[in-house]
Amino acid sequence: MKQNQEQSLQKSIGLMTAITIVVGTIIGSGVFVKPAVVLTHAGTSNMAILAWVVGGLLTLAAGLTIAEIGAQIPKTGGLYAYIRDIYGPFWGFLTGWVQTIIYGPAIIVSLVLFFGILVTNFFNISNDMSVWFGLFALIFLTAVNILGTKFGGLMQNVTTIAKLIPVFAIIIFGLLWGNEGIFGQDVTSLIKTDGEINFGRAVLATLFAYDGWIMLTNMTGEMKKPQRNLPLAMLIGLSIVTLAYVLINIAVFHVIPAAELVGLGNTASAEAAKALFGDIGSKIVNIGVIISIFGCLNGKIITFPRIPFAMAEDGLLPMHKYVGYISPKLKSPLGALITVFGISMVLIVLTLLFPDVVNADYLSEVTIFIIYIFYMMAFVGLFILRKRNKDIKREYSVPLYPFIPLLALFGGAFIIINTLISDFMGSLYSLIILAIGIPVYMYLKNKQKQTNI
């Protein structure tokens, strides 16, 4: 069954769509709302810009490292498939468990709720309606992807290009028309909270904005020439994102004095656009943020369902026959799309009923800790694969080996350690979610054994 299903998924993702998936799943709202946050932690404009560069280099190192693994294991499911093939089904299951049950749905729900709030604020509609706008986006994009990967990819191409328009408008006109000093601006005297100025926290803030870089690997089984296109898409896509993030921060510093920027919070880019283009400028940026969230949501809906799909192929999910169902006509992973949609709907209801207990934004943040543990396992897995497959010719090898994989390991360790320090209880919660998966795995494996008897 596994082989037939893999063949049933269409190889419809070319290089251009792969690049837009990388860019589109990373660029959400972070490029617009993070400049002031990073500056507050960095203390100076020089260190803030350096933090974005360092964050981009660490992410690029991670992407290029994972790309070699993906070229050797070109299978649908991404991180789940890599961990499964390198370390065995137990660790593979735990990877997919965290991504399917909480990490993916929490990120999707965060985007859904944020999208609804942005739309209602933009059109001055009651915030009570925000969840309905978010739900409409979720239902619409799920339906688009049910129609097939080709349609979901087309939507990703359009939204990625659209979201980059306001980004590069701020960059181009900010660099041309700004008259503030870009470098050498110091705001340390304005930071009142002890310990807030910390370059590590500044880099950590950028890494959260870069999160989503691995999502393309979930689609490897549906890519044309994955050994070639996966590394290329990672390199080009992550370079575009890093360039956009660094340049938009330089442009913002060129338009708004750093002393004012510290107090702007999440409105920094909107205020820069307003200074450049007047009131219409802030509206343009707001539209850009809405499109960014919409496109980022589409990217998550394209990529996340491939994880439960791959797990269902291995019989490692309850009702796996339904979860792994492929539409015979549309050639889309219908069962997995509906599964992720259903779990997301449950989480939306819980966040509405118990907002103080179940917060999707917080859940998505705390699960990043545990996901990075599996990222670290994957980075180490590259060295294992090199040793295991030393006599096999590789279609793609990560450049500057072993320095790039070691840099990726450094970045992963940096996030894990800083998250433990800044939110120990949140990290503990994510470990509890992980631990719950152990008896589930044991139950499913026992059920498989009984079925095979």
Short mmCIF file of all heavy atoms in Angstrom, two decimals, residues 1 5 93 97 100-101 308-326 334-340 342-343 440 443-444 447-448 451:
data_model
loop_
_atom_site.label_atom_id
_atom_site.label_comp_id
_atom_site.label_asym_id
_atom_site.label_seq_id
_atom_site.Cartn_x
_atom_site.Cartn_y
_atom_site.Cartn_z
N MET A 1 0.83 -1.21 0.00
CA MET A 1 0.00 0.00 0.00
C MET A 1 0.86 1.26 0.00
O MET A 1 0.59 2.23 -0.66
CB MET A 1 -0.92 0.01 1.22
CG MET A 1 -1.85 1.21 1.28
SD MET A 1 -2.91 1.19 2.76
CE MET A 1 -1.74 1.66 4.02
N GLN A 5 0.68 4.33 -2.68
CA GLN A 5 0.25 5.67 -2.29
C GLN A 5 1.31 6.69 -2.66
O GLN A 5 0.99 7.80 -3.11
CB GLN A 5 -0.03 5.70 -0.78
CG GLN A 5 -1.34 5.04 -0.42
CD GLN A 5 -1.79 5.40 0.99
OE1 GLN A 5 -0.99 5.78 1.82
NE2 GLN A 5 -3.05 5.30 1.23
N PHE A 93 8.01 8.21 15.17
CA PHE A 93 6.64 8.43 15.64
C PHE A 93 6.55 9.63 16.57
O PHE A 93 5.65 10.46 16.44
CB PHE A 93 6.12 7.19 16.37
CG PHE A 93 4.79 7.42 17.04
CD1 PHE A 93 3.61 7.35 16.31
CD2 PHE A 93 4.72 7.75 18.39
CE1 PHE A 93 2.39 7.59 16.92
CE2 PHE A 93 3.50 8.00 19.00
CZ PHE A 93 2.33 7.91 18.26
N TRP A 97 4.28 12.71 16.04
CA TRP A 97 3.25 12.90 17.06
C TRP A 97 3.18 14.37 17.50
O TRP A 97 2.12 14.98 17.51
CB TRP A 97 3.56 12.00 18.26
CG TRP A 97 2.80 12.32 19.52
CD1 TRP A 97 3.24 13.05 20.58
CD2 TRP A 97 1.47 11.93 19.84
NE1 TRP A 97 2.28 13.13 21.55
CE2 TRP A 97 1.17 12.45 21.12
CE3 TRP A 97 0.49 11.19 19.18
CZ2 TRP A 97 -0.06 12.26 21.74
CZ3 TRP A 97 -0.73 10.99 19.80
CH2 TRP A 97 -1.01 11.52 21.06
N THR A 100 1.98 16.56 14.56
CA THR A 100 0.60 16.36 14.14
C THR A 100 -0.41 16.79 15.19
O THR A 100 -1.41 17.43 14.88
CB THR A 100 0.36 14.87 13.78
OG1 THR A 100 1.23 14.51 12.71
CG2 THR A 100 -1.08 14.63 13.38
N ILE A 101 -0.15 16.45 16.45
CA ILE A 101 -1.13 16.65 17.50
C ILE A 101 -1.17 18.08 18.00
O ILE A 101 -2.23 18.62 18.31
CB ILE A 101 -0.87 15.68 18.67
CG1 ILE A 101 -1.02 14.23 18.20
CG2 ILE A 101 -1.82 15.95 19.84
CD1 ILE A 101 -2.40 13.91 17.63
N PRO A 308 1.05 13.62 8.97
CA PRO A 308 0.15 12.51 9.30
C PRO A 308 -0.07 11.55 8.14
O PRO A 308 -0.30 10.36 8.34
CB PRO A 308 -1.15 13.20 9.71
CG PRO A 308 -1.07 14.58 9.15
CD PRO A 308 0.39 14.92 9.17
N PHE A 309 0.04 12.06 6.90
CA PHE A 309 -0.08 11.17 5.74
C PHE A 309 1.03 10.13 5.75
O PHE A 309 0.78 8.93 5.57
CB PHE A 309 -0.02 11.99 4.45
CG PHE A 309 0.03 11.15 3.21
CD1 PHE A 309 -1.12 10.59 2.68
CD2 PHE A 309 1.24 10.88 2.57
CE1 PHE A 309 -1.07 9.79 1.54
CE2 PHE A 309 1.30 10.09 1.44
CZ PHE A 309 0.13 9.53 0.93
N ALA A 310 2.27 10.58 5.98
CA ALA A 310 3.40 9.65 6.02
C ALA A 310 3.27 8.69 7.20
O ALA A 310 3.58 7.50 7.08
CB ALA A 310 4.71 10.42 6.10
N MET A 311 2.79 9.19 8.34
CA MET A 311 2.61 8.33 9.51
C MET A 311 1.52 7.29 9.25
O MET A 311 1.63 6.13 9.67
CB MET A 311 2.25 9.17 10.73
CG MET A 311 3.35 10.11 11.19
SD MET A 311 2.85 11.10 12.61
CE MET A 311 2.92 9.86 13.91
N ALA A 312 0.47 7.71 8.55
CA ALA A 312 -0.62 6.78 8.23
C ALA A 312 -0.14 5.67 7.32
O ALA A 312 -0.57 4.51 7.43
CB ALA A 312 -1.78 7.54 7.59
N GLU A 313 0.76 5.99 6.40
CA GLU A 313 1.33 4.97 5.52
C GLU A 313 2.04 3.89 6.32
O GLU A 313 2.06 2.72 5.94
CB GLU A 313 2.32 5.61 4.55
CG GLU A 313 1.67 6.39 3.43
CD GLU A 313 2.70 6.76 2.37
OE1 GLU A 313 3.70 7.40 2.76
OE2 GLU A 313 2.53 6.40 1.21
N ASP A 314 2.63 4.30 7.46
CA ASP A 314 3.34 3.35 8.32
C ASP A 314 2.41 2.70 9.34
O ASP A 314 2.88 1.92 10.18
CB ASP A 314 4.48 4.06 9.05
CG ASP A 314 5.56 4.55 8.09
OD1 ASP A 314 5.71 3.95 7.01
OD2 ASP A 314 6.25 5.53 8.42
N GLY A 315 1.12 3.04 9.29
CA GLY A 315 0.16 2.49 10.24
C GLY A 315 0.33 3.01 11.64
O GLY A 315 -0.09 2.38 12.62
N LEU A 316 0.93 4.21 11.80
CA LEU A 316 1.25 4.74 13.11
C LEU A 316 0.36 5.90 13.52
O LEU A 316 0.79 6.85 14.18
CB LEU A 316 2.73 5.17 13.15
CG LEU A 316 3.74 4.02 13.14
CD1 LEU A 316 5.15 4.54 13.17
CD2 LEU A 316 3.49 3.06 14.30
N LEU A 317 -0.91 5.83 13.10
CA LEU A 317 -1.91 6.77 13.59
C LEU A 317 -3.23 6.02 13.75
O LEU A 317 -3.51 5.11 12.95
CB LEU A 317 -2.10 7.94 12.61
CG LEU A 317 -1.15 9.13 12.71
CD1 LEU A 317 -1.54 10.18 11.67
CD2 LEU A 317 -1.13 9.76 14.09
N PRO A 318 -4.03 6.37 14.74
CA PRO A 318 -5.36 5.79 14.81
C PRO A 318 -6.13 6.08 13.52
O PRO A 318 -5.98 7.16 12.94
CB PRO A 318 -6.00 6.51 16.02
CG PRO A 318 -4.84 6.96 16.85
CD PRO A 318 -3.75 7.29 15.87
N MET A 319 -6.92 5.13 13.07
CA MET A 319 -7.71 5.26 11.83
C MET A 319 -6.80 5.61 10.65
O MET A 319 -7.13 6.45 9.82
CB MET A 319 -8.81 6.31 12.00
CG MET A 319 -9.81 5.97 13.10
SD MET A 319 -11.21 7.12 13.18
CE MET A 319 -10.37 8.61 13.69
N HIS A 320 -5.64 4.97 10.59
CA HIS A 320 -4.63 5.33 9.58
C HIS A 320 -5.12 5.12 8.15
O HIS A 320 -4.67 5.81 7.24
CB HIS A 320 -3.34 4.55 9.82
CG HIS A 320 -3.49 3.06 9.72
ND1 HIS A 320 -3.37 2.37 8.55
CD2 HIS A 320 -3.75 2.13 10.68
CE1 HIS A 320 -3.54 1.08 8.76
NE2 HIS A 320 -3.77 0.90 10.05
N LYS A 321 -6.03 4.19 7.94
CA LYS A 321 -6.55 3.96 6.59
C LYS A 321 -7.30 5.19 6.08
O LYS A 321 -7.27 5.50 4.89
CB LYS A 321 -7.44 2.74 6.56
CG LYS A 321 -6.69 1.42 6.76
CD LYS A 321 -7.62 0.23 6.64
CE LYS A 321 -6.86 -1.08 6.84
NZ LYS A 321 -7.75 -2.27 6.75
N TYR A 322 -8.01 5.87 7.00
CA TYR A 322 -8.75 7.08 6.61
C TYR A 322 -7.81 8.28 6.49
O TYR A 322 -7.94 9.09 5.57
CB TYR A 322 -9.85 7.37 7.62
CG TYR A 322 -10.87 6.26 7.73
CD1 TYR A 322 -10.82 5.33 8.76
CD2 TYR A 322 -11.89 6.13 6.76
CE1 TYR A 322 -11.76 4.30 8.85
CE2 TYR A 322 -12.83 5.11 6.85
CZ TYR A 322 -12.75 4.20 7.89
OH TYR A 322 -13.67 3.18 7.97
N VAL A 323 -6.87 8.39 7.44
CA VAL A 323 -5.92 9.51 7.41
C VAL A 323 -5.06 9.46 6.15
O VAL A 323 -4.75 10.49 5.56
CB VAL A 323 -5.02 9.50 8.67
CG1 VAL A 323 -3.99 10.63 8.60
CG2 VAL A 323 -5.87 9.65 9.93
N GLY A 324 -4.69 8.27 5.71
CA GLY A 324 -3.84 8.12 4.53
C GLY A 324 -4.58 8.06 3.21
O GLY A 324 -3.97 7.79 2.17
N TYR A 325 -5.89 8.37 3.25
CA TYR A 325 -6.70 8.26 2.02
C TYR A 325 -6.31 9.34 1.02
O TYR A 325 -6.20 10.52 1.35
CB TYR A 325 -8.18 8.38 2.36
CG TYR A 325 -9.09 8.34 1.16
CD1 TYR A 325 -9.38 7.14 0.51
CD2 TYR A 325 -9.67 9.51 0.66
CE1 TYR A 325 -10.20 7.11 -0.59
CE2 TYR A 325 -10.50 9.49 -0.45
CZ TYR A 325 -10.77 8.28 -1.07
OH TYR A 325 -11.59 8.24 -2.17
N ILE A 326 -6.11 8.92 -0.23
CA ILE A 326 -5.81 9.84 -1.33
C ILE A 326 -7.01 9.89 -2.25
O ILE A 326 -7.58 8.87 -2.62
CB ILE A 326 -4.58 9.37 -2.13
CG1 ILE A 326 -3.34 9.35 -1.25
CG2 ILE A 326 -4.33 10.27 -3.34
CD1 ILE A 326 -2.12 8.77 -1.94
N LEU A 334 -6.38 13.68 0.83
CA LEU A 334 -7.64 14.16 1.38
C LEU A 334 -7.78 13.84 2.86
O LEU A 334 -8.19 14.69 3.67
CB LEU A 334 -8.80 13.55 0.59
CG LEU A 334 -10.23 13.97 0.98
CD1 LEU A 334 -10.41 15.47 0.82
CD2 LEU A 334 -11.25 13.21 0.12
N GLY A 335 -7.48 12.59 3.23
CA GLY A 335 -7.63 12.19 4.62
C GLY A 335 -6.77 13.00 5.56
O GLY A 335 -7.22 13.41 6.64
N ALA A 336 -5.52 13.24 5.17
CA ALA A 336 -4.60 14.00 6.02
C ALA A 336 -5.00 15.46 6.12
O ALA A 336 -4.90 16.08 7.19
CB ALA A 336 -3.17 13.88 5.48
N LEU A 337 -5.46 16.04 5.02
CA LEU A 337 -5.93 17.43 5.04
C LEU A 337 -7.11 17.60 5.98
O LEU A 337 -7.17 18.56 6.77
CB LEU A 337 -6.30 17.88 3.62
CG LEU A 337 -5.13 18.24 2.70
CD1 LEU A 337 -5.57 18.24 1.24
CD2 LEU A 337 -4.57 19.62 3.07
N ILE A 338 -8.06 16.67 5.92
CA ILE A 338 -9.23 16.74 6.79
C ILE A 338 -8.83 16.49 8.25
O ILE A 338 -9.37 17.12 9.17
CB ILE A 338 -10.29 15.72 6.34
CG1 ILE A 338 -10.86 16.15 4.99
CG2 ILE A 338 -11.42 15.60 7.37
CD1 ILE A 338 -11.83 15.16 4.38
N THR A 339 -7.84 15.62 8.47
CA THR A 339 -7.36 15.35 9.83
C THR A 339 -6.78 16.60 10.47
O THR A 339 -7.13 16.96 11.60
CB THR A 339 -6.30 14.23 9.82
OG1 THR A 339 -6.89 13.03 9.31
CG2 THR A 339 -5.74 14.00 11.21
N VAL A 340 -5.88 17.28 9.75
CA VAL A 340 -5.28 18.50 10.28
C VAL A 340 -6.33 19.58 10.46
O VAL A 340 -6.33 20.32 11.47
CB VAL A 340 -4.14 18.99 9.36
CG1 VAL A 340 -3.64 20.37 9.79
CG2 VAL A 340 -2.99 17.99 9.37
N GLY A 342 -9.48 19.06 11.15
CA GLY A 342 -10.29 18.68 12.31
C GLY A 342 -9.59 18.99 13.63
O GLY A 342 -10.22 19.54 14.56
N ILE A 343 -8.30 18.66 13.73
CA ILE A 343 -7.55 18.94 14.96
C ILE A 343 -7.46 20.45 15.19
O ILE A 343 -7.59 20.94 16.32
CB ILE A 343 -6.14 18.32 14.90
CG1 ILE A 343 -6.23 16.79 14.82
CG2 ILE A 343 -5.32 18.72 16.14
CD1 ILE A 343 -4.90 16.10 14.59
N VAL A 440 0.88 5.85 23.36
CA VAL A 440 0.13 5.78 22.11
C VAL A 440 0.89 4.93 21.10
O VAL A 440 0.32 4.06 20.42
CB VAL A 440 -0.13 7.19 21.53
CG1 VAL A 440 -0.83 7.10 20.18
CG2 VAL A 440 -0.98 8.02 22.49
N TYR A 443 0.67 1.25 22.06
CA TYR A 443 -0.65 0.71 21.73
C TYR A 443 -0.75 0.40 20.24
O TYR A 443 -1.22 -0.68 19.84
CB TYR A 443 -1.72 1.71 22.14
CG TYR A 443 -3.09 1.41 21.56
CD1 TYR A 443 -3.89 0.39 22.08
CD2 TYR A 443 -3.57 2.14 20.46
CE1 TYR A 443 -5.13 0.10 21.55
CE2 TYR A 443 -4.81 1.86 19.92
CZ TYR A 443 -5.59 0.84 20.46
OH TYR A 443 -6.81 0.55 19.90
N LEU A 444 -0.30 1.34 19.40
CA LEU A 444 -0.40 1.15 17.96
C LEU A 444 0.49 0.01 17.48
O LEU A 444 0.09 -0.77 16.60
CB LEU A 444 -0.03 2.46 17.24
CG LEU A 444 -1.02 3.61 17.40
CD1 LEU A 444 -0.44 4.91 16.86
CD2 LEU A 444 -2.34 3.30 16.69
N LYS A 447 -1.15 -3.21 18.40
CA LYS A 447 -2.28 -3.44 17.51
C LYS A 447 -1.80 -3.97 16.16
O LYS A 447 -2.43 -4.86 15.56
CB LYS A 447 -3.07 -2.15 17.33
CG LYS A 447 -4.43 -2.34 16.67
CD LYS A 447 -5.22 -1.03 16.67
CE LYS A 447 -6.59 -1.24 16.02
NZ LYS A 447 -7.38 0.02 16.01
N GLN A 448 -0.67 -3.43 15.67
CA GLN A 448 -0.09 -3.91 14.41
C GLN A 448 0.31 -5.38 14.52
O GLN A 448 0.08 -6.17 13.61
CB GLN A 448 1.13 -3.07 14.03
CG GLN A 448 0.81 -1.76 13.34
CD GLN A 448 2.07 -1.05 12.87
OE1 GLN A 448 3.18 -1.34 13.33
NE2 GLN A 448 1.93 -0.11 11.95
N THR A 451 -2.71 -7.61 14.45
CA THR A 451 -3.29 -7.65 13.11
C THR A 451 -2.49 -8.60 12.21
O THR A 451 -3.05 -9.31 11.36
CB THR A 451 -3.31 -6.25 12.47
OG1 THR A 451 -4.05 -5.39 13.31
CG2 THR A 451 -3.97 -6.29 11.10
#
